[in-house]
Amino acid sequence: MRPSGRTPEQLREIRFTCNYTKHAEGSVLVEFGDTRVLCTASVDTSVPRFLKGKGEGWITAEYGMLPRSTHSRMEREAGRGKQGGRTLEIQRLIGRSLRAAIDLKALGENTITIDCDVLQADGGTRTASITGGFVALSIAIEHMLKTQRIKKNPLHGQVASVSVGIYGGVPVLDLDYAEDSQAETDMNVVMNDAGAFIEIQGTAEGHAFRKDELNAMLELAELGIRELLDKQAAALQAAKTPAAA
Amino acid sequence: MRPSGRTPEQLREIRFTCNYTKHAEGSVLVEFGDTRVLCTASVDTSVPRFLKGKGEGWITAEYGMLPRSTHSRMEREAGRGKQGGRTLEIQRLIGRSLRAAIDLKALGENTITIDCDVLQADGGTRTASITGGFVALSIAIEHMLKTQRIKKNPLHGQVASVSVGIYGGVPVLDLDYAEDSQAETDMNVVMNDAGAFIEIQGTAEGHAFRKDELNAMLELAELGIRELLDKQAAALQAAKTPAAA
Amino acid sequence: MRPSGRTPEQLREIRFTCNYTKHAEGSVLVEFGDTRVLCTASVDTSVPRFLKGKGEGWITAEYGMLPRSTHSRMEREAGRGKQGGRTLEIQRLIGRSLRAAIDLKALGENTITIDCDVLQADGGTRTASITGGFVALSIAIEHMLKTQRIKKNPLHGQVASVSVGIYGGVPVLDLDYAEDSQAETDMNVVMNDAGAFIEIQGTAEGHAFRKDELNAMLELAELGIRELLDKQAAALQAAKTPAAA
Amino acid sequence: MRPSGRTPEQLREIRFTCNYTKHAEGSVLVEFGDTRVLCTASVDTSVPRFLKGKGEGWITAEYGMLPRSTHSRMEREAGRGKQGGRTLEIQRLIGRSLRAAIDLKALGENTITIDCDVLQADGGTRTASITGGFVALSIAIEHMLKTQRIKKNPLHGQVASVSVGIYGGVPVLDLDYAEDSQAETDMNVVMNDAGAFIEIQGTAEGHAFRKDELNAMLELAELGIRELLDKQAAALQAAKTPAAA
Amino acid sequence: MRPSGRTPEQLREIRFTCNYTKHAEGSVLVEFGDTRVLCTASVDTSVPRFLKGKGEGWITAEYGMLPRSTHSRMEREAGRGKQGGRTLEIQRLIGRSLRAAIDLKALGENTITIDCDVLQADGGTRTASITGGFVALSIAIEHMLKTQRIKKNPLHGQVASVSVGIYGGVPVLDLDYAEDSQAETDMNVVMNDAGAFIEIQGTAEGHAFRKDELNAMLELAELGIRELLDKQAAALQAAKTPAAA
Amino acid sequence: MRPSGRTPEQLREIRFTCNYTKHAEGSVLVEFGDTRVLCTASVDTSVPRFLKGKGEGWITAEYGMLPRSTHSRMEREAGRGKQGGRTLEIQRLIGRSLRAAIDLKALGENTITIDCDVLQADGGTRTASITGGFVALSIAIEHMLKTQRIKKNPLHGQVASVSVGIYGGVPVLDLDYAEDSQAETDMNVVMNDAGAFIEIQGTAEGHAFRKDELNAMLELAELGIRELLDKQAAALQAAKTPAAA
């Protein structure tokens, strides 16, 4: 029995509030249950030094948690003077995952920075960040097309992410904090809309997992990601359509 | 004529969404028009070293802006490895202002940290932070009383803050970004509900201001702060009252 | 009764030792009683990035305290690896105040850096820094005119600063450390020689101040600043005049 | 055809030089072909703060690359003032992997720090670090048993790691730099001697991988890790046995 | 011919202004010609961790240059966020040199920090710092004896320092900046009043020096240091004697 | 009697393993007994800013110790976020010493960085670094000549370094850790193959040394350095000669 009463293959309630902020070219407040992440996509007409003059663009991501997004208050990274290993690891993961959805040549010499800031954490902040980050990115791309900064859409598909794990001996989908902190195994999976894997990160601090457990988790992940991809598409569609009077 | 169409003595629309997050002892999303700040109050049963063993508590504040809360993206302070001078200056101001509302001895050996994180900036983020910070602090104090961490309310009044300035030669209240970036003089005022001043910070990079201009601005500030104090009280009252069925 | 025996409206003994060091284009050792600050003005033929190519100059300030300028030794900021919030706040204030005295366009693409280093602290180091900083700046400008780096004087007036506060219930001028550490209210005022305000920063951690107290303090400040402006002018005049044989 | 001429399921030449340094409680120079990592295990009779008084020990890891361990010289992290995200990510991975092999309660209140310093890099430094780190850890544990710092062996198995990837469309084992920099997919696998997974990290920046490709890679990994576990055991055995005259 | 017109074995004019600041237990403004260093000695009733409970004291030194103490303005180390290698090297040298003059056991569990801050640099700031640092230290020790923080004088002699070098092929004493920047060889020598060496640091970036040149330089150094020791003693004596009416 | 059983004028066993790593233009593993330092020389076709456009090259050095190169583990400097004073002091010394062996104009606009990383420390790491650093530098220069990056050899001689000290009242050569930690006086000497001094750094924390002790130490140093220069030359010769079949 899951603490939330969900069935093993059930996602939390997923919500996308597109255009949550007014300054960013793309933005969305994504919620996976009580996990709430503000994702913004900022377009900049320059590229990192290693890409200068190559006619290619870049997607990069940054991640942060507000100090009291968590159960007990964490020290502010800006105050400590450095980002922790977990933060750096997560933002590298988000960046890699989103780059997998885009043709960097078609993006031209532009950089899009995806900022994922966790307003409230309840497990799965990195998978929510990737899933919401893709939505913010898509809105920004749409904006670039409309304002003719690029001519053709560089996105070649969708990307979403979910966590799976083994909780109480049972493979479960989309772990919340109550499960995550108790899970024997935790795996984050990123997939595209062609059903292929972009990233798999599975960790077993407590209990090493067998091949059959791995397979059960991967199947759950596929299921969940398909659902997330649908919800992303619906949210993006709704954001484009002017609301009826 | 103000860019927003407001009259000189008109505040922007003010909104307090109390209990915006679930982990913090006190929280509020405060909005001054398009300026949106998430304020949380975190209670910790310890005090900074300089207060150890004195039987007193402490109120401190931290301030941050999400990278794309602003018109163009700012570098993340956690990534740069240090908080800028403006950030430190603002968080010191918030802390001093809120300490003026509380009897630190009555707080006992507890520290309350007020985190003010700007989700969207449109001028006046520091005054919104102080005004919202007081609401988050009050909710946290209420929580401490209910859970009997303290016996009596250490707050001895309310505190709120607003900006005033001279825009186009006219003293105006509660400047938004369009005004702020053009104003000849900018002043932030913090007052309590007894109508006394806690902090005055007036700056004239362009045009030095005369005594009569100062007085006109201070009168506007008094007016605006009285209105803000009323709205704070109403929001706190509503947060306490269970919503009718 | 003031600890120093001064009357409420009496400044401490003010001394300017112009050209205290030989390398800087402008320098002065300024003393407000036992508070002793070495101010130097360094001219550099370049401007910060945000001004490149605009045909304008810049004035910036840095502030530091020697570790044992204070009653008990403070940790050296260079050793701690960062400047504290108080330091950053003060140097921003000095910079803004001095920029208010100068026509940046007339300065041409030059940057003048004012370094204010406190050799001995006894209250009022920031007001002494602004007041002395103006003298160092003036000497440097004089030097630029003589060496024909600029054609016309970009200064359009004088700037000076003093603190006022309420000590023992009485408004007093130019607080020394003994008063400052006990004052209920402390205010730093920066004015120009036209009698207009450039900066007002009033703080009440203990006792919130009323409008009439504010006015009494501002009157004292005006009085004190007028005296300081006279002393600045005299010191600058003496520095220009070759000593008689 | 692999650049090194190896068959797809062939490891590079693996060497363990146990007790490479004289100060550390455990040490080994591990070589995966031209990749050369010095692993030391240092025992300290204290634990991190979060474990104080719990009667448990801790295993932690640190990772570094000598500036010219790579093809072109990298900036020294100690000089830059911070460890990069890749470094932090790798040392977190090494620590987690080795903790999976040990009963922290049986370790008592001791911390073992595994330092993995890359003397020469040619692909697979993180898998060599884990595999060598386990050997250094085992020697240190042996030393603790001999010197009676602990009574019973807290290790409950072996841990080793290898990379697999898809190179030129073919799944291959233990990628060297020439392959790694060209691979479409790269996966690091950590397993124990019971054949279960401790960590799987698969990344596809270029080409998303299908389930069947994932399975092919995992099979290769299993094969390689079994071989590495045998070589670890042999090296540890040889280190214990005094060389014959 | 030396730029200053001095003979090869002639020191610059040496001045000690004892008790230059009022807060420090010991202070002196030392001048070697135009090189001007403010040395303060601060007594603290604690010791660094590695000495806790050993009944011994410690002498440590810190060194800094004001940004415009030099010909062109240097960046402030507090702003850069770290002390440079030269600074750290010099403060380690000052600390070692002064520790050689004192019986740390007789000092008891006290730490004396010598701060050497260069107000104006014209060559030889490190030798002036050591020579002045000894004076500040002596005054602080005197103060500790008078206030009975220690019972017997822990100083077992005097320490002073001077630079020597080869300038224009000729060994010279006490190089000023004009010489220092042109010298083929530069050597800093620290000696005690028993005529023994505490530290010798000789450097030849340009021209390697022969044994006979070394000997000539050492003889000059001995000569100069004897003179400095006399001047230290006289200054300390004068500081003790109340000025006649 | 020396702890190692050596005579006072006896070096430890010296070994140079040339071309220890494959990426660097020059590399050597140098051993002074149990002190083991990996020196690499990296060639870069650019120069520091202060040399841009002057047609000169630069030699710089960096130094580091692996955390467990020492008896008890040291904190990793990359983790602490800064290099300590000792590290900076040593790398400045290595750089200066090697620059004394080369004609920077003949090097052209190239920078050679010498990295000296201590794998195992047993006293004398800085002298081993200089002595090995010269070997790595020579190999890199040889490589530049062969690949025609430079036309003529910019080296104008050899450089080596050794420590001397007074141990148990007796002057001894090449101190190991057991001696170094007990020595009354410690001196590092750098000389060239013309028998002239490049650097002398003598320190007496405990016992100040007399002129005759200084001379005895310098004579030992000369002796030892002559031997080291011979071994360097032999190692470089062997590295050039293809091994016989």
Side-chain angles (χ1 to χ4, degrees):
Chain A
M1 189 60 184
R2 305 180 72 173
S4 59
R6 285 185 283 150
T7 61
E9 70 286 351
Q10 195 181 344
L11 289 174
R12 288 177 283 180
E13 191 178 344
I14 308 297
R15 268 183 304 270
F16 298 98
T17 310
C18 291
N19 301 314
Y20 183 78
T21 68
K22 70 173 190 178
H23 298 304
E25 284 78 10
S27 74
V28 68
L29 179 74
V30 61
E31 294 168 86
F32 276 38
D34 280 345
T35 288
R36 216 182 280 169
V37 183
L38 174 49
C39 305
T40 60
S42 299
V43 182
D44 185 25
T45 54
S46 72
V47 286
R49 189 171 310 185
F50 69 92
L51 283 180
K52 288 257 160 77
K54 298 203 175 166
E56 278 183 56
W58 192 241
I59 306 290
T60 186
E62 298 198 3
Y63 172 92
M65 299 183 88
L66 296 196
R68 195 57 195 279
S69 60
T70 45
H71 199 267
S72 54
R73 187 176 182 274
M74 301 185 315
E75 207 183 344
R76 191 176 285 266
E77 288 187 323
R80 282 203 312 141
K82 63 175 172 179
Q83 294 174 296
R86 180 183 169 278
T87 294
L88 293 173
E89 194 172 314
I90 292 176
Q91 65 191 20
R92 284 159 55 91
L93 169 64
I94 301 170
R96 279 199 310 272
S97 298
L98 296 180
R99 280 193 295 276
I102 203 162
D103 176 355
L104 293 172
K105 286 212 184 301
L107 182 57
E109 293 217 347
N110 294 293
T111 294
I112 305 182
T113 302
I114 309 296
D115 286 288
C116 299
D117 285 275
V118 178
L119 306 190
Q120 189 168 273
D122 191 40
T125 64
R126 81 187 71 188
T127 56
S129 294
I130 293 167
T131 307
F134 177 79
V135 172
L137 173 60
S138 299
I139 296 174
I141 292 288
E142 197 66 36
H143 181 269
M144 291 174 85
L145 287 164
K146 254 191 226 150
T147 55
Q148 300 189 302
R149 290 170 77 160
I150 48 176
K151 297 253 171 70
K152 84 175 242 256
N153 194 330
L155 289 171
H156 49 56
Q158 271 175 259
V159 162
S161 174
V162 81
S163 73
V164 285
I166 295 179
Y167 173 78
V170 179
V172 293
L173 178 67
D174 187 21
L175 288 73
D176 56 31
Y177 179 76
E179 292 167 329
D180 198 19
S181 55
Q182 301 293 332
E184 295 124 46
T185 287
D186 182 25
M187 178 169 288
N188 294 295
V189 181
V190 186
M191 297 179 78
N192 63 19
D193 57 348
F197 296 102
I198 285 165
E199 189 97 18
I200 294 179
Q201 296 200 343
T203 295
E205 279 224 21
H207 154 88
F209 52 98
R210 297 181 313 272
K211 192 69 174 293
D212 61 308
E213 292 174 316
L214 171 62
N215 284 331
M217 289 190 286
L218 290 175
E219 265 162 50
L220 273 182
E222 260 188 272
L223 215 77
I225 285 174
R226 215 165 300 144
E227 212 174 320
L228 288 168
L229 292 164
D230 287 350
K231 286 177 196 287
Q232 279 179 335
L236 284 167
Q237 190 55 41
K240 267 196 262 190
T241 319
Chain B
M1 188 60 183
R2 305 180 71 172
S4 59
R6 285 187 281 152
T7 61
E9 70 286 350
Q10 195 182 344
L11 289 173
R12 288 177 282 181
E13 193 179 344
I14 307 298
R15 269 183 304 269
F16 298 98
T17 309
C18 292
N19 301 314
Y20 184 77
T21 68
K22 70 173 188 178
H23 298 303
E25 284 77 10
S27 74
V28 68
L29 180 73
V30 59
E31 294 168 85
F32 276 38
D34 279 347
T35 288
R36 217 181 281 169
V37 183
L38 174 49
C39 305
T40 59
S42 299
V43 182
D44 186 22
T45 55
S46 72
V47 286
R49 189 172 308 186
F50 68 93
L51 283 180
K52 287 256 161 78
K54 299 205 176 165
E56 279 182 57
W58 191 241
I59 305 291
T60 186
E62 298 198 2
Y63 171 92
M65 299 183 88
L66 295 196
R68 197 55 195 279
S69 59
T70 44
H71 199 267
S72 54
R73 188 178 182 273
M74 300 184 316
E75 207 184 341
R76 191 176 285 266
E77 288 188 324
R80 282 203 312 141
K82 62 174 172 180
Q83 294 173 295
R86 181 185 169 277
T87 294
L88 293 173
E89 193 173 313
I90 292 176
Q91 64 192 21
R92 285 158 55 91
L93 169 64
I94 302 170
R96 277 199 311 271
S97 297
L98 296 180
R99 280 193 295 276
I102 203 161
D103 175 356
L104 294 171
K105 285 213 184 297
L107 183 58
E109 292 217 346
N110 294 293
T111 294
I112 304 182
T113 302
I114 308 298
D115 285 290
C116 299
D117 285 277
V118 178
L119 305 189
Q120 189 168 274
D122 191 40
T125 64
R126 80 188 72 188
T127 55
S129 294
I130 293 167
T131 307
F134 177 78
V135 171
L137 172 61
S138 299
I139 297 175
I141 291 287
E142 198 64 38
H143 181 268
M144 290 174 86
L145 285 165
K146 254 191 228 151
T147 55
Q148 300 188 300
R149 291 171 76 160
I150 47 175
K151 297 251 169 75
K152 84 177 242 256
N153 195 330
L155 288 170
H156 49 56
Q158 270 175 260
V159 161
S161 174
V162 80
S163 74
V164 283
I166 295 179
Y167 174 79
V170 180
V172 294
L173 178 68
D174 187 22
L175 288 73
D176 56 31
Y177 179 75
E179 293 167 328
D180 199 20
S181 55
Q182 301 294 331
E184 295 125 45
T185 288
D186 182 24
M187 177 171 288
N188 294 295
V189 181
V190 186
M191 295 178 80
N192 63 19
D193 55 350
F197 296 101
I198 285 164
E199 190 98 19
I200 295 179
Q201 296 200 343
T203 294
E205 279 224 20
H207 154 88
F209 51 98
R210 295 180 315 271
K211 192 68 174 292
D212 61 308
E213 292 174 317
L214 171 62
N215 283 332
M217 289 191 285
L218 290 176
E219 263 162 51
L220 274 182
E222 260 188 271
L223 215 77
I225 286 175
R226 215 165 298 145
E227 211 173 323
L228 289 168
L229 292 165
D230 287 349
K231 287 176 195 288
Q232 280 179 334
L236 284 167
Q237 190 54 41
K240 269 197 260 189
T241 319
Chain C
M1 187 60 183
R2 305 180 70 171
S4 59
R6 285 186 281 151
T7 61
E9 70 286 350
Q10 195 181 345
L11 289 174
R12 288 178 281 182
E13 192 178 343
I14 307 298
R15 270 183 303 271
F16 298 97
T17 308
C18 292
N19 301 314
Y20 184 77
T21 68
K22 71 174 190 179
H23 297 304
E25 284 77 9
S27 73
V28 67
L29 181 72
V30 60
E31 293 167 87
F32 277 37
D34 279 346
T35 288
R36 217 181 281 168
V37 183
L38 175 48
C39 305
T40 59
S42 300
V43 181
D44 186 23
T45 54
S46 72
V47 286
R49 188 170 310 182
F50 68 91
L51 284 180
K52 288 255 160 76
K54 299 205 175 165
E56 278 182 57
W58 191 242
I59 306 290
T60 186
E62 298 198 3
Y63 172 92
M65 299 183 88
L66 295 196
R68 195 56 194 279
S69 58
T70 44
H71 199 268
S72 54
R73 188 178 182 273
M74 300 184 316
E75 207 184 343
R76 191 176 285 266
E77 288 188 323
R80 282 202 313 142
K82 62 175 173 179
Q83 295 174 296
R86 180 183 170 277
T87 294
L88 294 173
E89 195 173 312
I90 292 176
Q91 65 192 21
R92 283 158 56 90
L93 169 64
I94 302 170
R96 278 199 311 273
S97 297
L98 296 180
R99 281 194 295 277
I102 204 162
D103 175 356
L104 294 171
K105 286 212 183 299
L107 182 58
E109 292 217 346
N110 293 293
T111 295
I112 305 182
T113 303
I114 309 297
D115 285 290
C116 300
D117 285 278
V118 179
L119 305 190
Q120 189 168 274
D122 191 40
T125 63
R126 82 187 69 188
T127 56
S129 294
I130 293 167
T131 307
F134 177 79
V135 172
L137 173 60
S138 299
I139 297 174
I141 292 288
E142 198 65 36
H143 182 269
M144 290 174 86
L145 286 166
K146 252 190 229 149
T147 54
Q148 300 190 301
R149 291 169 76 161
I150 47 175
K151 297 252 168 73
K152 85 177 239 254
N153 195 330
L155 288 171
H156 49 55
Q158 269 175 260
V159 161
S161 174
V162 80
S163 74
V164 283
I166 294 179
Y167 174 78
V170 179
V172 294
L173 178 68
D174 188 21
L175 288 73
D176 57 31
Y177 179 75
E179 293 167 327
D180 198 20
S181 55
Q182 301 294 331
E184 295 125 46
T185 287
D186 182 25
M187 178 171 287
N188 294 295
V189 181
V190 186
M191 296 178 80
N192 62 19
D193 56 349
F197 296 102
I198 284 163
E199 190 98 20
I200 295 179
Q201 294 201 344
T203 295
E205 278 225 20
H207 153 88
F209 52 99
R210 295 181 314 272
K211 192 68 175 291
D212 60 308
E213 292 174 317
L214 172 62
N215 283 332
M217 289 190 286
L218 290 176
E219 264 162 50
L220 274 182
E222 260 188 270
L223 216 78
I225 286 176
R226 215 164 299 146
E227 211 173 321
L228 289 168
L229 292 165
D230 287 349
K231 286 177 196 288
Q232 280 179 335
L236 284 167
Q237 190 54 41
K240 268 196 261 189
T241 318
Chain D
M1 190 57 185
R2 304 181 71 171
S4 59
R6 286 185 281 150
T7 61
E9 69 288 350
Q10 196 181 344
L11 287 174
R12 288 177 282 181
E13 191 177 345
I14 308 297
R15 270 183 303 270
F16 299 97
T17 311
C18 292
N19 301 315
Y20 183 77
T21 68
K22 70 173 187 175
H23 298 303
E25 283 79 9
S27 74
V28 68
L29 180 73
V30 61
E31 293 167 87
F32 277 37
D34 280 346
T35 288
R36 215 180 283 168
V37 184
L38 173 50
C39 304
T40 60
S42 300
V43 182
D44 185 23
T45 54
S46 72
V47 286
R49 189 171 308 185
F50 69 92
L51 283 180
K52 287 257 158 77
K54 298 204 175 166
E56 279 182 56
W58 191 242
I59 306 291
T60 186
E62 298 198 4
Y63 171 91
M65 300 183 87
L66 295 196
R68 195 56 194 279
S69 59
T70 44
H71 200 267
S72 55
R73 187 178 182 273
M74 300 186 315
E75 206 184 343
R76 191 175 285 265
E77 287 188 323
R80 281 203 312 141
K82 62 175 174 180
Q83 294 174 297
R86 180 184 170 276
T87 293
L88 293 173
E89 194 172 314
I90 292 176
Q91 64 191 22
R92 284 158 56 90
L93 170 65
I94 302 169
R96 278 200 310 272
S97 297
L98 297 180
R99 281 193 296 275
I102 203 161
D103 176 355
L104 294 172
K105 285 212 184 299
L107 182 57
E109 292 216 347
N110 294 293
T111 294
I112 305 182
T113 302
I114 309 297
D115 285 290
C116 299
D117 284 278
V118 179
L119 305 190
Q120 189 169 272
D122 191 41
T125 63
R126 80 188 73 188
T127 55
S129 293
I130 294 167
T131 307
F134 177 79
V135 172
L137 173 61
S138 299
I139 297 173
I141 292 287
E142 199 64 38
H143 182 268
M144 289 174 86
L145 285 164
K146 253 190 229 149
T147 54
Q148 299 189 301
R149 291 170 75 160
I150 47 175
K151 298 252 167 75
K152 82 176 244 255
N153 195 331
L155 288 170
H156 50 54
Q158 270 174 258
V159 161
S161 175
V162 80
S163 74
V164 283
I166 294 178
Y167 174 79
V170 179
V172 294
L173 178 68
D174 187 22
L175 288 73
D176 56 30
Y177 179 76
E179 293 166 329
D180 199 19
S181 54
Q182 300 294 331
E184 296 125 45
T185 287
D186 181 24
M187 178 171 289
N188 294 295
V189 181
V190 186
M191 295 180 79
N192 63 18
D193 57 348
F197 297 102
I198 285 164
E199 190 97 20
I200 295 179
Q201 295 200 343
T203 295
E205 279 226 19
H207 153 87
F209 51 99
R210 296 180 316 270
K211 192 68 176 292
D212 61 307
E213 292 174 318
L214 171 63
N215 283 331
M217 289 190 285
L218 289 176
E219 264 162 50
L220 274 182
E222 261 189 89
L223 216 77
I225 285 174
R226 215 166 297 145
E227 210 172 322
L228 289 168
L229 292 164
D230 287 349
K231 287 178 195 288
Q232 279 179 335
L236 284 167
Q237 190 54 41
K240 269 196 261 191
T241 319
Chain E
M1 189 58 183
R2 306 179 71 173
S4 59
R6 284 186 283 151
T7 62
E9 70 288 348
Q10 194 181 344
L11 289 174
R12 288 177 282 181
E13 191 179 343
I14 308 297
R15 267 183 305 269
F16 298 98
T17 309
C18 292
N19 300 315
Y20 183 77
T21 68
K22 71 173 190 178
H23 298 305
E25 284 78 9
S27 73
V28 67
L29 179 74
V30 60
E31 293 168 87
F32 277 38
D34 279 346
T35 288
R36 215 181 284 169
V37 184
L38 174 49
C39 304
T40 59
S42 299
V43 182
D44 185 22
T45 54
S46 72
V47 287
R49 189 173 308 186
F50 68 92
L51 284 180
K52 287 256 159 77
K54 299 205 175 165
E56 277 183 58
W58 191 242
I59 305 291
T60 186
E62 298 198 3
Y63 171 92
M65 299 183 87
L66 295 196
R68 194 56 194 279
S69 59
T70 43
H71 199 267
S72 54
R73 189 179 181 272
M74 300 185 315
E75 207 184 343
R76 191 175 286 265
E77 288 188 324
R80 282 203 313 141
K82 62 174 173 180
Q83 293 174 296
R86 180 184 170 277
T87 294
L88 294 172
E89 194 172 314
I90 292 176
Q91 63 191 23
R92 284 159 55 91
L93 169 64
I94 302 170
R96 277 199 312 272
S97 298
L98 296 181
R99 280 193 295 277
I102 203 160
D103 176 355
L104 292 172
K105 285 211 187 298
L107 182 57
E109 291 216 348
N110 294 293
T111 294
I112 304 182
T113 302
I114 309 297
D115 285 290
C116 300
D117 284 277
V118 179
L119 305 190
Q120 189 168 274
D122 191 40
T125 64
R126 80 188 71 189
T127 56
S129 293
I130 294 167
T131 306
F134 177 78
V135 172
L137 173 60
S138 299
I139 296 174
I141 293 287
E142 197 65 36
H143 181 269
M144 290 174 86
L145 286 165
K146 252 190 229 151
T147 55
Q148 298 189 300
R149 291 170 76 158
I150 48 176
K151 298 252 170 75
K152 81 175 247 251
N153 194 331
L155 289 171
H156 50 55
Q158 270 174 260
V159 161
S161 174
V162 80
S163 73
V164 284
I166 295 178
Y167 174 78
V170 179
V172 294
L173 177 67
D174 188 22
L175 288 74
D176 56 30
Y177 180 75
E179 292 167 329
D180 198 19
S181 55
Q182 301 293 332
E184 294 124 47
T185 289
D186 181 25
M187 178 170 288
N188 294 295
V189 181
V190 187
M191 296 179 79
N192 62 20
D193 56 349
F197 296 102
I198 285 164
E199 190 97 20
I200 294 179
Q201 294 200 343
T203 294
E205 278 225 21
H207 153 86
F209 52 98
R210 298 179 315 270
K211 192 68 175 293
D212 60 309
E213 291 174 316
L214 172 63
N215 284 332
M217 289 190 285
L218 290 176
E219 264 161 51
L220 273 183
E222 261 188 271
L223 215 76
I225 285 175
R226 215 165 299 146
E227 211 173 322
L228 288 168
L229 292 165
D230 287 348
K231 286 176 196 286
Q232 279 179 333
L236 284 166
Q237 191 54 42
K240 268 197 262 190
T241 317
Chain F
M1 189 60 182
R2 305 179 71 172
S4 59
R6 286 185 283 151
T7 61
E9 70 287 350
Q10 196 181 343
L11 288 174
R12 288 176 281 181
E13 191 178 345
I14 307 298
R15 268 182 305 269
F16 298 97
T17 310
C18 291
N19 300 316
Y20 184 77
T21 67
K22 71 174 188 177
H23 298 305
E25 283 78 8
S27 74
V28 68
L29 180 72
V30 61
E31 293 168 86
F32 278 38
D34 279 347
T35 288
R36 218 180 281 168
V37 183
L38 173 49
C39 305
T40 59
S42 299
V43 182
D44 186 23
T45 55
S46 72
V47 285
R49 188 172 309 184
F50 68 92
L51 284 179
K52 288 254 159 78
K54 299 205 175 164
E56 279 182 56
W58 191 242
I59 306 291
T60 186
E62 298 198 4
Y63 172 91
M65 300 183 87
L66 295 195
R68 195 57 194 279
S69 59
T70 45
H71 199 267
S72 54
R73 187 177 182 274
M74 300 185 314
E75 207 183 344
R76 191 176 284 267
E77 287 188 323
R80 283 202 312 141
K82 62 175 175 180
Q83 294 174 296
R86 180 183 170 276
T87 294
L88 294 173
E89 194 172 314
I90 292 175
Q91 64 192 23
R92 284 158 55 90
L93 169 64
I94 302 169
R96 277 198 311 272
S97 297
L98 297 179
R99 280 193 295 275
I102 204 161
D103 175 355
L104 293 171
K105 286 211 184 300
L107 182 57
E109 293 216 348
N110 293 293
T111 294
I112 305 182
T113 302
I114 309 297
D115 285 290
C116 299
D117 284 277
V118 179
L119 305 190
Q120 190 168 271
D122 191 40
T125 63
R126 80 188 72 189
T127 56
S129 294
I130 293 167
T131 307
F134 177 79
V135 172
L137 173 62
S138 299
I139 297 173
I141 292 288
E142 198 65 38
H143 181 268
M144 289 174 86
L145 286 164
K146 253 190 227 150
T147 55
Q148 299 189 302
R149 290 169 77 159
I150 48 176
K151 298 253 169 73
K152 85 175 242 256
N153 195 331
L155 288 170
H156 49 57
Q158 271 175 260
V159 161
S161 174
V162 80
S163 73
V164 284
I166 295 178
Y167 174 79
V170 179
V172 294
L173 178 67
D174 188 22
L175 288 73
D176 57 30
Y177 180 75
E179 293 167 328
D180 198 19
S181 54
Q182 301 293 331
E184 295 124 47
T185 287
D186 181 24
M187 178 171 288
N188 294 295
V189 181
V190 186
M191 295 178 80
N192 64 19
D193 56 349
F197 296 102
I198 285 164
E199 190 98 19
I200 295 179
Q201 295 199 344
T203 294
E205 279 223 20
H207 154 87
F209 52 98
R210 295 180 315 270
K211 191 69 176 293
D212 61 309
E213 292 174 316
L214 172 63
N215 283 332
M217 289 191 285
L218 290 176
E219 263 163 50
L220 274 182
E222 260 188 271
L223 215 78
I225 285 174
R226 215 166 297 145
E227 211 173 321
L228 289 168
L229 292 164
D230 286 350
K231 287 177 195 287
Q232 279 180 336
L236 284 167
Q237 190 54 43
K240 269 197 262 190
T241 319

